[in-house]
Amino acid sequence: MFRGLWKLTWLEIKIFLREPLGAFGSILFPVLVFVVVGRLLGRPTPTSITTAGFVRVGLPVFASVLIALSGVLSLVTIISIYREGGILKRLRATPLRPQTILTAHVLVKLALTVVTLALMILAGKRYYPVHVDVPIFGFAIALLISTWSILSIGFLIASIVPTARFAQPIGAAILYPMLALCGLFAPLESLPPALHVVARLLPLTYAVSLLRGIWKGEAWSAHMGDVAALIVVFAI
């Protein structure tokens, strides 16, 4: 089983890298946003405390969320294409189990997340205007957990999208508005009661809380509730 999983994972990686647009959107775009916005907001000009706080904490978390969402959108598109083209049916005719096929796609997205995060860290050392001591390993683990959980939304969207042509637009229309409710740009307490309830149901809210806390250097014990919520979302 593990041999088949490894071969399928490696095959999916090669197929993904053959599409330049997909590779740009999933790997380079979050890094580009991180560098450009960081340079613009981090110039040596008088800035407000709010802006400085966003550059130090909000921007890395925002770029990390983009990494996760880009992976999900890519997953939605690929699964939709495979389902519409009958590739999933042909794969099921092989000795590979459906769980193995889905696990291979998850591993691909997690591997791409690691690569994108590494590029973001390397770019940050050269271009990021604020030098901070960040627990990189802990933050990487938090991002992998977040991506792992948010991928479940991708599988859900891919299962209901009618055609591959509309997979990515529909996925973007569902996922990106969640950014406004996840607590990244506005505290959850400032949201109206109805939106506050909705925000508490979104895995992205717990992902942002976990990423922000780990980036600040907070202990994992303070965010075990976020980790538990993300694991439950993926398990469901």
Side-chain angles (χ1 to χ4, degrees), residues 48-105:
S48 65
I49 297 178
T50 303
T51 301
F54 177 77
V55 172
R56 289 188 180 92
V57 180
L59 179 58
V61 174
F62 175 63
S64 301
V65 170
L66 282 182
I67 293 174
L69 294 185
S70 297
V72 173
L73 289 176
S74 174
L75 175 69
V76 170
T77 303
I78 292 173
I79 295 297
S80 299
I81 292 175
Y82 280 18
R83 187 185 61 185
E84 188 175 4
I87 298 176
L88 290 179
K89 290 183 179 179
R90 290 196 291 271
L91 286 173
R92 291 188 64 179
T94 67
L96 295 175
R97 296 181 178 180
Q99 296 89 338
T100 303
I101 298 171
L102 297 181
T103 301
H105 286 282

Side-chain angles (χ1 to χ4, degrees), residues 178 180-183 188 191 193-206:
M178 293 184 184
L181 301 176
C182 67
L188 297 181
L191 298 176
L195 292 181
H196 187 275
V197 172
V198 173
R200 287 297 180 185
L201 297 176
L202 301 176
L204 198 58
T205 301
Y206 301 98

Side-chain angles (χ1 to χ4, degrees), residues 28-52:
L28 298 181
F29 180 70
V31 178
L32 183 63
V33 170
F34 177 72
V35 171
V36 172
V37 178
R39 293 292 291 176
L40 291 177
L41 297 182
R43 288 176 178 175
T45 57
T47 56
S48 65
I49 297 178
T50 303
T51 301

Side-chain angles (χ1 to χ4, degrees), residues 101-161:
I101 298 171
L102 297 181
T103 301
H105 286 282
V106 172
L107 292 178
V108 169
K109 300 311 172 189
L110 292 181
L112 295 176
T113 298
V114 171
V115 172
T116 309
L117 178 62
L119 291 176
M120 191 177 76
I121 293 172
L122 292 176
K125 288 184 177 180
R126 183 170 182 179
Y127 297 108
Y128 195 50
V130 180
H131 300 284
V132 292
D133 185 17
V134 179
I136 297 298
F137 179 76
F139 187 78
I141 296 300
L143 179 57
L144 289 178
I145 293 174
S146 301
T147 305
W148 178 53
S149 176
I150 298 174
L151 284 174
S152 61
I153 304 178
F155 284 117
L156 177 61
I157 296 174
S159 66
I160 61 177
V161 172

